[in-house]
Structure formats: C-alpha cells, structure tokens
Amino acid sequence: MNESVSNSNDMLASTQAVIKDALRKLGYGDEMVELLKEPMRLLTVRIPVRMDNGNMRMFVGYRAQHNDAVGPTKGGVRFHPDVNENEVKALSIWMGLKCGIADLPFGGGKGGIICDPRNMSFRELERLSRGYVRAISQLVGPTKDIPAPDVMTNSQIMAWMLDEYSRIREFDSPGFITGKPIVLGGSLGRESATARGVAIVIDEALRVKGIPLPDATVVIQGFGNAGSFLAKFMHDAGAKVIGISDVNGALYNKEGLDIDSLLDRRDSFGTVTNLFRDTISNEELLELECDVLVPAAIENQITVNNADRIKAKIIVEAANGPTTMDATRIVTDRGILLVPDVLASGGGVIVSYFEWVQNNQGYYWSETEVDSRLQEMMIRGFNQVYDLHISRKVDMRLAAYMVGVRKMAEASRYRGWV
C-alpha cells in the first residue's frame, strides 16, 4: 500500500471516529452513525482521453455524495495523482460538515480524477474535463450535485465542464457548477473566498485570545491560492507575517516578510523559495514561535512527532486535515486554540453557495456585498463552535463536528431515514 492511500485510509477512519463521537454527544444512536459514516453514493468512472500524441489513455475518476437530506450535494473536483476512493469519501463528509456549520442548504460532495495536470497540455486537460462531465452527468446538476474547483483545478476547467453539461442537457445551466469565470456567471470574491474566510476566523480567534491583530505574528505553511491570498490579507491588516513556505522550503524573518514582493515573484504553482539561499525547512517553519500558525498546504503536517514542539498560541487549519487527531489532543491540552479545517476553510463553499444563488436568481451581487455576507456567516459559525467548545468542554474539532453534523442528522431523522 503506498503512502497516499494509507494516509487516505487514516483520514477516512479518523473522520468516521469523530463523526461517531459527535453524534453520540448529540444523543443519536448507532443507526445514525451507520447512515452518516459513509457517502450515500460513490460513482467510479473510467474516462477515455485522446492525448496529443494520438494515443488513447484511460483515466479513473470519482464522485462521492455524502448525504442529500438537507439538499443537493456540493463539493470540489480535484485533479491529482494521489486521488483515491477513500480520500474522496472523507472529503465529501468534510464538505457536509462545512455546509452544516455555515447552515447552507447542501450536503457534502467531492470528486477527483487520478492525473497530473502539470504533465498535461491545455487541450488534454479540456478533453479530460469534458469526459468527466459526460461520465457523471446523470448524477449531477443544479438541484442534484454542484461541483466546484479544488486542488489543481480552476475557473477554466469549470468553464469547460459547464459547457459540456450545457451541451448534454441542451440548455444553459450556470447553476450546475461554481467557481466559474465571472463572464460565465461566476461570483465576485470567489477566487479569494477560502483565504478571506480564514482571515475572518483568525481575527475572531485572536479576539478570544485577547491579542490585537496589528500586534500578531503569523506563520503560513503553503503559498498556493489560499496561502498567498491569506498572506496578503494578513499583511494588509497590519499583522506581521514572519514565515511562509512552499514545496521547496520556507522563508523566515522575525521582523516580517515583504509579502508584496514575494507575491510578485511566485510562479503559477505558488513556488518562490527557490529564488532564495537563506531558507529553512517546512518542519522548522511549523515550530517557529508565533501567535498564529496556519497550515495551508497538505494533510498530516502536525502529528504526535512534532505537536509538543509547536510554539503558536493559535493554529488555524486552512488545508484539509493538516493536524492528526492525536496531535489535536496534544496541542489542545497544551492550551493552544486549534480552529479546525471544517470551520476555518468554509469560505470557499459559502461563496460557492452565493454563486449558486446568484445563478438561480439571475441577479449578481457586488464584491462588497459578497464579502459582507461571508463575514457574517463565518463569524456566526465560529461563535457557534467556540461556544460549544466552552460549554461542553470538548476540543474545537469535536465541537465543529457536532455543529456540522447536527443539521444533516436532523434532516435525515425528519425524512424518516433513521
């Protein structure tokens, strides 16, 4: 078993364990656990794609729909060589939790294709994107399941998928997919939504810890879409971003980094540290003394091996699953406030919901209106989770799962599924 598959198995198992714990604490029995521990549907597809060299290549893709008791499922599509069935299952559950915390009328969905877009041409990516939509078209749509961008996918890929779906259905259907270009019905503020949501949560976490934002020091692991936007937001708000990293290493300056200069020099994959000689490792970055540590890269970065060396006062998870369950207990016991991914990274699905609403209405909002509504929903979600964390004396991750799972559990109960 390769490492990525093993990590995905662990991710699914640990997610199911917390779901079970959350449901038990909310008073639900084994039947509800059985219903919600796995997606209700998982579609595996094989997609034939004619490559530029004339050869036909088969790609494997997935679409998981966790629970649609509340409404249509919603979630991104990732293109990555490590995509696998259990990862897609776990991520669909997390999307359901995010929607529950934000009180959206969605269940969780997630899709993925096993591929490496970095080694594919523009036209090969288009043919793959269209092939995926043809393969899943019977199970998706604006009232069934609404895809969106995820790892290594973007607004162009969403545009191809929208066009293919419109051809199949023979009518224009902008609400089928979110994260689209603005000219095709995309929402203002969508590209930076995840990072803006994380920034709002950081502000709230600093408030409950009694640390003024302009006095805060911030370390961000990852300089891709979420990490780079977040660094800019934090820098512009007056916080001191003292560390950032990418796949090649990390940069550290206790007086604060020149974020605008780094953003100008980064490449399309968020790489910038290769331009510098004086770098540190990602492992060293995580252990820097700071007020806020933001893992915004990949999963399993804070584990039992380094949790006791984390010196941050607050950890805010912008990536999916960067802190293991065992590490969550260690840092919580040490008095570190950990804001889990299902809460902190909810900005993307919230603004995707706004985009879907605008598509359905045919009426589009200003960026100021989008940002204002996002802030209201993120603050409400944070306060619900934090208050439950205090009142029930549970860690923030379990509190977030309790808030997130409650809506789908109640909807399932009312429908008579349990």
Side-chain angles (χ1 to χ4, degrees):
M1 183 183 295
N2 67 43
E3 186 178 351
S4 64
V5 172
S6 176
N7 286 341
S8 299
N9 292 343
D10 293 344
M11 189 194 320
L12 179 60
S14 60
T15 299
Q16 290 172 330
V18 186
I19 285 277
K20 181 177 181 179
D21 200 4
L23 287 168
R24 289 279 167 77
K25 282 196 160 38
L26 290 169
Y28 293 100
D30 291 343
E31 291 179 335
M32 191 66 78
V33 174
E34 283 299 308
L35 177 69
L36 298 180
K37 74 176 187 180
E38 293 263 352
M40 298 189 77
R41 298 176 199 90
L42 176 70
L43 178 67
T44 302
V45 297
R46 299 181 76 236
I47 309 157
V49 175
R50 183 73 65 186
M51 307 303 282
D52 290 347
N53 63 8
N55 294 336
M56 185 67 75
R57 182 176 164 193
M58 298 300 299
F59 291 86
V60 174
Y62 304 97
R63 188 69 189 174
Q65 298 171 347
H66 176 233
N67 182 282
D68 56 8
V70 171
T73 49
K74 179 89 186 72
V77 180
R78 55 179 53 191
F79 287 7
H80 198 277
D82 292 336
V83 164
N84 61 74
E85 182 178 308
N86 278 350
E87 177 190 56
V88 172
K89 283 183 178 181
L91 292 170
S92 73
I93 298 171
W94 289 359
M95 282 303 303
L97 295 168
K98 287 183 185 182
C99 293
I101 291 168
D103 198 22
L104 303 181
F106 295 139
K110 185 65 71 169
I113 301 174
I114 304 170
C115 68
D116 192 342
R118 293 166 294 193
N119 299 328
M120 296 175 69
S121 73
F122 197 68
R123 289 304 165 207
E124 287 170 342
L125 284 172
E126 178 179 358
R127 291 191 282 270
L128 177 61
S129 301
R130 292 180 181 277
Y132 179 70
V133 170
R134 288 194 296 274
I136 68 170
S137 64
Q138 298 302 309
L139 291 184
V140 295
T143 60
K144 292 181 179 179
D145 182 14
I146 305 112
D150 202 278
V151 175
M152 292 197 198
T153 56
N154 54 30
S155 60
Q156 175 60 75
I157 288 171
M158 299 304 104
W160 289 327
M161 290 185 177
L162 169 68
D163 186 64
E164 192 65 25
Y165 186 82
S166 298
R167 290 184 186 186
I168 293 167
R169 290 287 174 248
E170 297 184 345
F171 60 84
D172 188 46
S173 183
F176 151 67
I177 202 163
T178 60
K180 304 180 294 293
I182 300 297
V183 294
L184 294 180
S187 176
L188 294 169
R190 173 63 183 85
E191 189 180 6
S192 62
T194 299
R196 191 171 293 281
V198 174
I200 293 165
V201 162
I202 289 174
D203 202 17
E204 291 300 297
L206 287 168
R207 176 183 58 78
V208 300
K209 281 286 193 179
I211 304 169
L213 180 59
D215 296 340
T217 53
V218 181
V219 170
I220 302 171
Q221 184 200 30
F223 210 53
N225 180 277
S228 59
F229 272 117
L230 179 63
K232 176 65 172 171
F233 292 151
M234 291 289 96
H235 178 71
D236 289 351
K240 191 184 292 184
V241 181
I242 62 171
I244 65 99
S245 75
D246 56 34
V247 292
N248 295 319
L251 302 175
Y252 167 61
N253 184 335
K254 67 178 182 180
E255 301 304 322
L257 296 166
D258 185 346
I259 297 301
D260 289 331
S261 173
L262 294 176
L263 289 171
D264 285 340
R265 301 174 71 180
R266 68 191 280 271
D267 66 18
S268 59
F269 292 104
T271 303
V272 72
T273 63
N274 57 328
L275 303 177
F276 296 84
R277 287 184 179 177
D278 190 16
T279 62
I280 62 174
S281 68
N282 262 281
E283 292 75 17
E284 291 172 305
L285 179 95
L286 292 171
E287 296 172 17
L288 291 173
E289 189 167 337
C290 61
D291 292 314
V292 183
L293 171 62
V294 185
I298 56 175
E299 68 273 2
N300 296 329
Q301 295 301 293
I302 301 174
T303 68
V304 291
N305 298 321
N306 63 356
D308 59 346
R309 298 195 300 274
I310 301 297
K311 301 181 186 71
K313 297 181 178 71
I314 300 165
I315 299 170
V316 178
E317 297 182 333
N320 285 321
T323 312
T324 66
M325 298 303 171
D326 289 337
T328 296
R329 285 188 283 273
I330 293 170
V331 297
T332 301
D333 289 345
R334 293 180 56 216
I336 298 171
L337 178 65
L338 187 146
V339 184
D341 47 10
V342 292
L343 167 59
S345 64
V349 71
I350 290 173
V351 178
S352 276
Y353 163 65
F354 294 164
E355 182 175 334
W356 178 76
V357 168
Q358 292 168 78
N359 294 155
N360 291 343
Q361 292 178 335
Y363 176 77
Y364 291 84
W365 309 344
S366 68
E367 189 161 2
T368 301
E369 188 171 2
V370 170
D371 290 346
S372 173
R373 293 185 185 212
L374 172 62
Q375 180 163 4
E376 178 186 336
M377 294 177 77
M378 290 298 300
I379 290 174
R380 184 176 66 207
F382 177 88
N383 287 335
Q384 276 189 295
V385 172
Y386 186 76
D387 290 348
L388 194 63
H389 153 68
I390 296 296
S391 65
R392 298 289 291 267
K393 295 182 173 57
V394 297
D395 64 55
M396 285 283 284
R397 190 181 309 283
L398 181 52
Y401 272 56
M402 289 169 70
V403 172
V405 80
R406 184 161 43 201
K407 185 172 183 177
M408 68 179 93
E410 279 298 278
S412 299
R413 184 178 66 80
Y414 273 115
R415 284 182 180 271
W417 294 356
V418 171

